[in-house]
């Protein structure tokens, strides 16, 4: 094997030296090696690749910067939109709160005014009640000065042991002064029947129906005529008729006759309530109610009665 630098061959002419020839392995058992020129080319290729890599790096950084700015811009826009929405909702809530506050203030004012009005009305009602009570007490004292003490004594005696016996002093007076004259009609026979039915609480008064039912005739009076009163015998438009007990017969009566019968029935209804223990009052209120019912009989007897009768 050769080693070391080439030396000049002896015997060659001066000035000629051995020319170095690129060495090439001719050993067929070992792979061919690339010449030094190939190494140079590979080195150049790597340098070019590295150069391209250095050129691409700034481009990628620029893209990243651009993407980052775009993301920041979009994020900023999103936050601005959300902030705007939040501010809008907050404004609406503020307006609603302000409206509710105004409503509350108005309701409180109305409540105060209503309370004051109610208190004023209550005080006014109390004053009026006191004035009415004082006037009633005054009228009662005046009335007591005019009341027949004998009549009140008779009522108290009857109230101590209430009865429907018309022979007791109290009822005998009422029968004589009020009940008898109020039920004293022109047709005496029918008047007696009506009085007995009122005392027994078996008289029925009903409006006149459109269909005429069988009736009974009383002497000299046509009871089957709605234009003639069966009790007075006068020509009157009859809107009601009476039935006595379980009888199927009916008698047409005028408004005046009905008012007289009704006034007496009201009196008997009240004294029955007292006799049954249904009226729980002192003697004075009972007495004045009976006096009012007696007044109603007197007015009906004189022909004063409501128009609807």
């Amino acid at each position: 094997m050769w080693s070391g630098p080439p030396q000049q061959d002896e015997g060659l002419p001066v000035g000629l030296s051995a020319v170095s020839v690129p060495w090439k392995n001719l050993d067929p058992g070992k792979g061919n090696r690339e010449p030094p020129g190939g190494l140079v080319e590979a080195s150049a290729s790597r340098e070019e690749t590295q150069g391209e890599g250095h050129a691409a790096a700034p481009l990628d950084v620029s893209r990243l910067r651009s993407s980052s700015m775009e993301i920041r811009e979009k994020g900023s826009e999103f936050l601005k939109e959300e902030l705007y929405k939040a501010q809008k909702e907050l404004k609406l809530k503020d307006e609603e709160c302000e409206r509710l506050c105004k409503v509350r203030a108005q309701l409180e004012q109305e409540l105060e005014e209503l309370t004051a009005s109610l208190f004023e009305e209550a005080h006014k009602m109390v004053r009026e009640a006191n004035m009415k009570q004082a006037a009633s007490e005054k009228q009662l004292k005046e009335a007591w000065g005019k009341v027949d003490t004998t009549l009140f004594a008779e009522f108290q005696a009857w109230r101590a042991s209430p009865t429907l016996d018309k022979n007791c002093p109290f009822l005998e007076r009422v029968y004589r002064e009020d009940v008898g004259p109020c039920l004293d009609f022109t047709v005496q026979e029918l008047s007696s029947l009506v009085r007995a039915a009122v005392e027994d609480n078996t008289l029925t008064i009903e409006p006149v129906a459109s269909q005429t039912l069988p009736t009974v005739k009383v002497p000299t009076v046509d009871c089957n005529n709605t234009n003639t009163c069966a009790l007075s015998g006068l020509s009157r438009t009859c809107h009601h008729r009476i039935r006595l007990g379980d009888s199927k017969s009916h008698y047409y009566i005028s408004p005046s006759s009905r008012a007289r019968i009704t006034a007496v029935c009201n009196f008997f209804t009240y004294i029955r309530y007292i006799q049954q223990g249904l009226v729980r009052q002192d003697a004075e209120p009972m007495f004045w109610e009976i006096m009012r019912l007696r007044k109603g009989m007197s007015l009906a007897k004189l022909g004063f009665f409501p128009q609807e009768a």
Side-chain angles (χ1 to χ4, degrees), residues 261-306:
I261 295 173
T262 301
V264 176
C265 289
N266 291 337
F267 169 76
F268 275 102
T269 299
Y270 187 69
I271 63 173
R272 287 191 188 98
Y273 285 164
I274 296 176
Q275 192 266 337
Q276 295 170 5
L278 300 177
V279 180
R280 300 182 181 275
Q281 290 180 330
D282 295 334
E284 293 179 9
M286 287 185 184
F287 178 77
W288 288 113
E289 179 62 18
I290 288 176
M291 294 297 291
R292 187 187 68 82
L293 294 171
R294 292 187 64 184
K295 178 182 177 182
M297 288 187 285
S298 298
L299 292 175
K301 177 182 62 178
L302 296 173
F304 296 97
F305 57 91

Side-chain angles (χ1 to χ4, degrees), residues 19-59:
V19 179
S20 299
V21 179
W23 177 82
K24 184 177 183 182
N25 188 11
L26 298 179
D27 189 353
K30 298 182 179 180
N32 298 330
R33 296 184 178 178
E34 293 182 356
L39 295 175
V40 174
E41 293 178 358
S43 177
S45 176
R46 284 195 299 270
E47 292 178 356
E48 292 177 358
T49 303
Q50 292 178 355
E52 292 178 358
H54 288 296
L59 182 60

Side-chain angles (χ1 to χ4, degrees), residues 52-68:
E52 292 178 358
H54 288 296
L59 182 60
D60 293 339
V61 172
S62 177
R63 289 179 180 175
L64 290 174
R65 291 178 178 175
S66 177
S67 300
S68 177

Side-chain angles (χ1 to χ4, degrees), residues 221-232:
V221 178
D222 183 9
C223 302
N224 196 22
N225 188 353
T226 58
N227 294 321
T228 302
C229 177
L231 289 170
S232 65

Side-chain angles (χ1 to χ4, degrees), residues 116-131:
S117 176
L118 290 176
F119 273 113
E120 183 179 356
E121 187 68 21
H123 288 303
K124 181 179 178 181
M125 292 175 64
V126 171
R127 288 194 301 268
E128 292 179 354
N130 292 334
M131 293 174 62

Side-chain angles (χ1 to χ4, degrees), residues 154-162 170 274 281-284 286:
E154 292 175 351
F155 167 73
Q156 283 186 316
W158 174 83
R159 179 176 174 273
S161 181
F170 171 68
I274 296 176
Q281 290 180 330
D282 295 334
E284 293 179 9
M286 287 185 184

Side-chain angles (χ1 to χ4, degrees), residues 188-206:
Q188 293 295 319
E189 181 180 353
L190 184 58
S191 297
S192 300
L193 296 175
V194 168
R195 178 172 174 174
V198 171
E199 293 176 358
D200 296 337
N201 197 25
T202 59
L203 184 140
T204 303
I205 302 177
E206 59 185 14

